[in-house]
Amino acid sequence: MASAQDGKLIGTAGLVQLEGSGGGGIVPWATLVGYDSQDQISVNVVATQVDVDDYRLNVLGLSASFYDRVEISVAQHRFDLKGAGVDIKQNIYAVKYRIYGDVVYSNWPQISVGAQHKVLADESIASALGAHKTSSGTDFYIAATKVHLGAIAGYNAVWNLTARATQANEMGLLGYGGINNNDYEVMLEASAGILFSRHFAVGIEYRQKPDNLGLGEDDWKDLFVTYIPSKNLAITLAWADLGTIAGASGQDGLYLSLNGQLW
């Protein structure tokens, strides 16, 4: 079997987002993690930290893409309330299926559907805040992604649109549903970026979020810079604006992610 190093163009496989799925930083894309083509398999690892005023999120993940068609992943969240000695753990098991297209070569965007099943190990805070469910929940999404070669002053450009059906409060870290709503809602997410070379990209992202608990949960935004020295490694640094989390406003700070392809 050919190595996944011989697959897609460097920089077109995307990254690994906070829930372990292939995508940007905070948004899952239609891309499958890794550079595998139709006769290849790739395996990736990711380590991410988001450090804002009152909280710190650490993410470790492992993902695999099979024959440029199916992606599976597992990720663990450790959400630290600074100074409070509280550490919330959550495991995420995800799958994604490419149903159409290629981000570079098809006329229309690549389209994928996915699901992220989240299991909350520490339920006490979610329960105290009034979450309707505190054990587990599942998000479902459909994403469209397209790379346009030489589109902006000769540089490659990428965009993504995702629609997510969710009940999750703060990605599920604070449970599911609450006083304002217990039903699934469709949230919109988007990313856009420019690849200034094969190894360097900048972009922005936006993620709409529900406010089920009535605590003023805000939409998320980030501005990112990614360096891709090889297909084995991508380093992303971002400024993340997460707004209000569990009633604490002004939660913004640094996002750092290391994404490595093992094979």
Side-chain angles (χ1 to χ4, degrees):
M1 180 180 296
S3 167
Q5 296 296 309
D6 302 322
K8 303 168 188 172
L9 297 174
I10 189 170
T12 62
L15 305 168
V16 180
Q17 56 95 217
L18 282 178
E19 289 136 313
S21 300
I26 59 176
V27 177
W29 295 3
T31 52
L32 307 185
V33 66
Y35 287 94
D36 52 292
S37 61
Q38 293 180 7
D39 60 350
Q40 298 167 340
I41 295 172
S42 67
V43 177
N44 287 257
V45 294
V46 66
T48 300
Q49 183 178 95
V50 185
D51 197 340
V52 296
D53 289 0
D54 296 310
Y55 308 101
R56 182 181 297 110
L57 175 66
N58 289 298
V59 183
L60 293 176
L62 176 68
S63 55
S65 179
F66 298 87
Y67 313 116
D68 194 28
R69 180 62 65 180
V70 177
E71 171 192 293
I72 60 173
S73 62
V74 59
Q76 182 180 77
H77 287 174
R78 297 191 62 162
F79 186 64
D80 175 30
L81 284 67
K82 294 180 181 179
V86 177
D87 189 15
I88 301 174
K89 300 180 185 67
Q90 175 175 248
N91 295 322
I92 302 173
Y93 308 94
V95 61
K96 184 191 298 184
Y97 181 79
R98 180 176 65 86
I99 60 176
Y100 171 81
D102 179 89
V103 291
V104 175
Y105 298 112
S106 59
N107 291 328
W108 295 95
Q110 180 170 318
I111 307 292
S112 295
V113 293
Q116 297 173 338
H117 181 66
K118 305 173 180 182
V119 180
L120 189 58
D122 305 289
E123 304 179 34
S124 57
I125 293 180
S127 179
L129 292 174
H132 178 65
K133 293 196 305 179
T134 59
S135 58
S136 64
T138 305
D139 290 355
F140 304 93
Y141 65 88
I142 183 169
T145 310
K146 185 73 175 113
V147 173
H148 300 274
L149 300 178
I152 300 178
Y155 298 115
N156 300 340
V158 60
W159 60 265
N160 175 84
L161 291 175
T162 298
R164 178 194 299 260
T166 184
Q167 298 171 295
N169 309 318
E170 301 295 358
M171 294 192 298
L173 289 163
L174 302 182
Y176 306 87
I179 188 172
N180 281 355
N181 179 65
N182 290 326
D183 298 324
Y184 274 92
E185 293 183 275
V186 176
M187 301 285 109
L188 299 180
E189 306 173 11
S191 308
I194 300 175
L195 288 79
F196 285 103
S197 74
R198 293 187 303 162
H199 305 286
F200 180 72
V202 299
I204 57 174
E205 293 189 294
Y206 168 81
R207 177 167 172 167
Q208 188 180 32
K209 299 171 72 255
D211 185 24
N212 299 322
L213 295 173
L215 296 175
E217 182 171 340
D218 283 327
D219 299 345
W220 285 356
K221 301 172 283 292
D222 73 38
L223 173 64
F224 68 86
V225 177
T226 298
Y227 174 55
I228 312 169
S230 72
K231 290 184 178 181
N232 291 110
L233 180 64
I235 304 167
T236 300
L237 182 66
W239 183 260
D241 179 359
L242 308 186
T244 296
I245 298 177
S249 61
Q251 301 304 311
D252 51 22
L254 289 177
Y255 170 114
L256 175 63
S257 184
L258 304 178
N259 175 26
Q261 179 167 287
L262 301 180
W263 70 79

